[in-house]
Amino acid sequence: MSVYKIYNAYKCYIGSTEQTMEERLKTHKDKDYNKCTSKLIVCEPDWDWVVLENNIPLDQLVFRERYWYDITENKVNKMRPVISREERLERQRQYRENNKEARTEYYQNNK
């Protein structure tokens, strides 16, 4: 199991896989199959990849991916690999705050 980075001169994608890197990169390159934000990089001509860590135990894989996610800049990743309970609660609190009017309107219209 590996944590890897797909990158070009401007941005990067941090990921992890239980597959071989060749198998995983094949899905990143598949324009019809690839639903993750790595396509913002692999659709451009000048990109590369590197394994950041290898032979990671399965129970540690997402935590190691999160480590690399946290220390890497210019990511195109939309989601953190794993979030703590506190982070999840804070995200929910921010969502409620940012959508207060829409939530109030929804509740009034759906009594």
Side-chain angles (χ1 to χ4, degrees), residues 2-5 12 14-15 51-54 56 61-73 75 81:
S2 303
V3 176
Y4 60 92
K5 175 169 76 170
C12 69
I14 302 296
V51 172
L52 301 170
E53 278 190 65
N54 214 350
I56 303 168
L61 189 59
V62 293
F63 298 104
R64 296 309 300 159
E65 181 182 357
R66 173 64 191 261
Y67 166 78
W68 286 101
Y69 174 93
D70 286 343
I71 66 169
T72 303
E73 295 182 7
K75 297 176 294 289

Side-chain angles (χ1 to χ4, degrees), residues 48-106:
D48 205 352
W49 63 274
V50 63
V51 172
L52 301 170
E53 278 190 65
N54 214 350
N55 301 317
I56 303 168
L58 182 58
D59 64 340
Q60 292 298 307
L61 189 59
V62 293
F63 298 104
R64 296 309 300 159
E65 181 182 357
R66 173 64 191 261
Y67 166 78
W68 286 101
Y69 174 93
D70 286 343
I71 66 169
T72 303
E73 295 182 7
N74 302 320
K75 297 176 294 289
V76 296
N77 300 59
K78 286 186 179 178
M79 301 288 289
R80 290 184 193 133
V82 65
I83 62 172
S84 68
R85 181 176 188 275
E86 292 78 18
E87 289 170 322
R88 182 174 37 81
L89 292 172
E90 176 60 20
R91 186 174 10 168
Q92 290 170 345
R93 186 196 66 72
Q94 287 178 352
Y95 175 84
R96 285 190 303 272
E97 184 66 31
N98 294 340
N99 295 285
K100 191 178 283 187
E101 291 178 19
R103 292 175 65 230
T104 301
E105 181 180 331
Y106 173 84

Side-chain angles (χ1 to χ4, degrees), residues 7-63:
Y7 64 94
N8 63 19
Y10 310 103
K11 51 195 167 213
C12 69
Y13 172 85
I14 302 296
S16 65
T17 186
E18 298 176 43
Q19 302 173 307
T20 66
M21 281 308 299
E22 290 74 24
E23 292 170 325
R24 185 64 185 111
L25 287 170
K26 199 179 294 183
T27 60
H28 280 291
K29 293 176 191 176
D30 186 335
K31 292 178 178 138
D32 295 326
Y33 180 79
N34 186 356
K35 305 292 186 232
C36 71
T37 54
S38 66
K39 65 185 165 194
L40 298 172
I41 300 171
V42 298
C43 69
E44 297 178 6
D46 237 1
W47 65 274
D48 205 352
W49 63 274
V50 63
V51 172
L52 301 170
E53 278 190 65
N54 214 350
N55 301 317
I56 303 168
L58 182 58
D59 64 340
Q60 292 298 307
L61 189 59
V62 293
F63 298 104

